[in-house]
Amino acid sequence: MNKKTFITMMLALAAMAGLAQTKTATVTGFSPALKDGTLVFAGTGSTSTVVDTVQAGRFAYTLPVVEFTESFLSFLGEGCTRSHTLIFLRPGVTVKVTGNDCLNLLWKVESPIPEQQTQNRLTEYCRDVLTESLQMDLANASRAKKDSVTMIWMKQQMDILPSLPVDAATISTLYGISRWATYRKDFPHKEQLKEVEKNIAARAPKGFEEKLAEIHSYIYAKDEQQIAEELASNESVFFKKYDDVAPENILQTILNKYKGKAVLIDMWETWCGPCRAGHKTMAPMKEQMKGQNVQFVYIASPSSPPTTWQKMIKDIDGDHYYLTEEQNYYILSHYESSGIPTYAIYDTKGHQTYKSIGFPGNDVIRKELEKASK
């Protein structure tokens, strides 16, 4: 055996060993309504990737998972909605998803995982209103009409939550309701939401303390005017100070403040785990780069509850912007990004030199910033 062959074999064995150690779960699915070529998206956290293409109504994919993982499934193709199916996974588990239409949020999810059974009960209880919501999505109904149906859905979920086990499914649902209630200032069921939160918190097993604390902060969020007054004198924080800037002008308006510097823009949200992980990972690198001609800029939107955002940014060194939904959407569209975190780097002349959807690592960011700052 020559040296080249031996090295090739060792690399192959190492790769095989790595694959063997990776924990995975599998999802298979079928719906006769899915058109051939429909893209299947799946992922965890706040990002997803194409994992398969539908053929003869069928699809299948495998995801790397930890001991317990919340994942989601969605489709891009003719007749498909923008909805995501929440699927709970564990190592070695196979989940079967089936339906007769393209309304994947309502499909049957067969799984041995108890949390999925809870999620199935929630879906079945709200089936009628979910069907109406998905059909409105397909018909491109106005936002006001869809919001009215969503309000009914939120109310129905709160009606059934106290009778369900307290697990990842119920807490994830409560989390979504509390975020939506904070985002929609006219939410009429605030008192019921507070009672449901008390019920869930009193019955919750250990391990959910951080999530429950975040839910509590959403439900009892401070008034935006109060937050604006508290942040008014902070020269590094721009809370709703640029609301009157047209979406197509907001990015350049921000960049104009940092002429002559290299700029890293970090698009993030308080609820995005990978975003927060990236902040922690970058902290030592940012400390090492202090004094260099570099500015770190963080941009969030109303999907991040203001109270939570105000609290989190205290530990993130840099300039912080809280933009309108339309402004934030414009910037993400400009970067051709459908997920967060999204990073962009600009040189001292204001030219974009780098972009990444997802955290690329400290080495890459530092190298690109040092190059842009020259």
Side-chain angles (χ1 to χ4, degrees):
M1 182 185 297
N2 61 42
K3 183 177 180 181
K4 182 177 180 180
T5 302
F6 176 77
I7 292 174
T8 301
M9 287 180 63
M10 290 300 99
L11 290 172
L13 287 171
M16 290 173 64
L19 288 173
Q21 294 173 7
T22 301
K23 296 180 179 180
T24 62
T26 300
V27 177
T28 65
F30 172 73
S31 173
L34 292 174
K35 305 292 186 182
D36 285 356
T38 296
L39 298 179
V40 183
F41 285 81
T44 59
S46 61
T47 58
S48 65
T49 57
V50 177
V51 291
D52 199 8
T53 303
V54 173
Q55 295 297 328
R58 300 187 181 278
F59 60 91
Y61 59 90
T62 298
L63 288 180
V65 296
V66 292
E67 188 58 29
F68 179 80
T69 301
E70 293 185 24
S71 72
F72 54 90
L73 163 68
S74 62
F75 299 91
L76 179 61
E78 182 182 347
C80 294
T81 69
R82 291 169 287 182
S83 62
H84 295 78
T85 303
L86 181 61
I87 300 178
F88 296 97
L89 300 174
R90 290 187 185 277
V93 164
T94 296
V95 175
K96 185 178 180 181
V97 184
T98 54
N100 294 312
D101 48 36
C102 290
L103 308 181
N104 56 286
L105 191 60
L106 301 172
W107 289 356
K108 182 179 181 180
V109 182
E110 299 176 66
S111 169
I113 298 176
E115 289 84 353
Q116 194 69 55
Q117 311 308 318
T118 303
Q119 184 63 38
N120 291 347
R121 289 176 63 184
L122 274 160
T123 300
E124 191 58 36
Y125 187 82
C126 302
R127 176 169 292 273
D128 289 345
V129 69
L130 283 173
T131 301
E132 183 179 0
S133 176
L134 293 171
Q135 290 173 342
M136 292 178 74
D137 187 20
L138 289 173
N140 292 318
S142 69
R143 178 170 177 172
K145 289 183 178 179
K146 288 189 286 187
D147 280 359
S148 66
V149 175
T150 300
M151 192 76 74
I152 298 171
W153 178 39
M154 297 293 167
K155 176 69 167 63
Q156 287 189 357
Q157 291 179 106
M158 287 191 291
D159 289 343
I160 192 177
L161 278 176
S163 66
L164 297 176
V166 179
D167 58 20
T170 48
I171 290 178
S172 178
T173 299
L174 181 61
Y175 177 78
I177 297 170
S178 64
R179 276 185 54 202
W180 200 85
T182 303
Y183 186 42
R184 300 301 181 198
K185 306 307 179 186
D186 57 346
F187 188 72
H189 309 296
K190 199 65 174 285
E191 293 308 312
Q192 182 182 5
L193 179 56
K194 292 177 181 179
E195 291 302 316
V196 172
E197 184 225 7
K198 290 178 183 178
N199 178 286
I200 296 293
R203 297 188 292 126
K206 291 183 178 180
F208 291 106
E209 292 82 3
E210 183 176 343
K211 199 74 170 180
L212 288 169
E214 189 172 356
I215 290 170
H216 187 83
S217 71
Y218 291 168
I219 296 173
Y220 294 91
K222 288 186 286 187
D223 179 81
E224 287 191 0
Q225 182 59 38
Q226 180 183 351
I227 294 174
E229 291 172 359
E230 292 173 357
L231 296 174
S233 61
N234 191 325
E235 296 181 355
S236 297
V237 180
F238 304 87
F239 178 72
K240 302 179 73 64
K241 293 179 180 179
Y242 288 89
D243 281 8
D244 59 345
V245 177
E248 62 271 21
N249 296 329
I250 188 61
L251 180 58
Q252 193 58 52
T253 299
I254 292 173
L255 290 172
N256 285 344
K257 289 178 59 64
Y258 309 107
K259 287 182 177 180
K261 287 188 175 183
V263 179
L264 169 71
I265 289 183
D266 181 336
M267 304 290 294
W268 74 292
E269 302 293 351
T270 59
W271 44 264
C272 170
C275 299
R276 300 198 302 265
H279 297 162
K280 291 180 180 178
T281 302
M282 279 198 291
M285 178 201 71
K286 289 163 64 177
E287 187 65 28
Q288 294 169 0
M289 296 190 73
K290 275 192 173 180
Q292 297 188 31
N293 195 34
V294 171
Q295 180 65 48
F296 292 88
V297 173
Y298 297 88
I299 296 176
S301 76
S303 74
S304 294
T307 303
T308 306
W309 175 81
Q310 182 187 19
K311 181 179 179 181
M312 285 187 177
I313 63 174
K314 293 177 182 178
D315 298 321
I316 308 171
D317 186 37
D319 282 6
H320 293 271
Y321 292 80
Y322 192 93
L323 303 182
T324 68
E325 183 179 0
E326 293 76 17
Q327 290 169 338
N328 193 72
Y329 177 78
Y330 176 84
I331 296 176
L332 284 174
S333 298
H334 173 77
Y335 292 145
E336 298 181 336
S337 172
S338 59
I340 53 172
T342 291
Y343 304 88
I345 292 177
Y346 293 81
D347 64 19
T348 56
K349 296 181 180 179
H351 300 138
Q352 184 182 325
T353 59
Y354 178 78
K355 180 187 74 176
S356 175
I357 303 172
F359 184 59
N362 279 346
D363 290 343
V364 172
I365 288 181
R366 180 165 189 159
K367 178 183 176 182
E368 293 295 333
L369 277 173
E370 288 178 342
K371 185 166 55 176
S373 65
K374 295 179 180 178

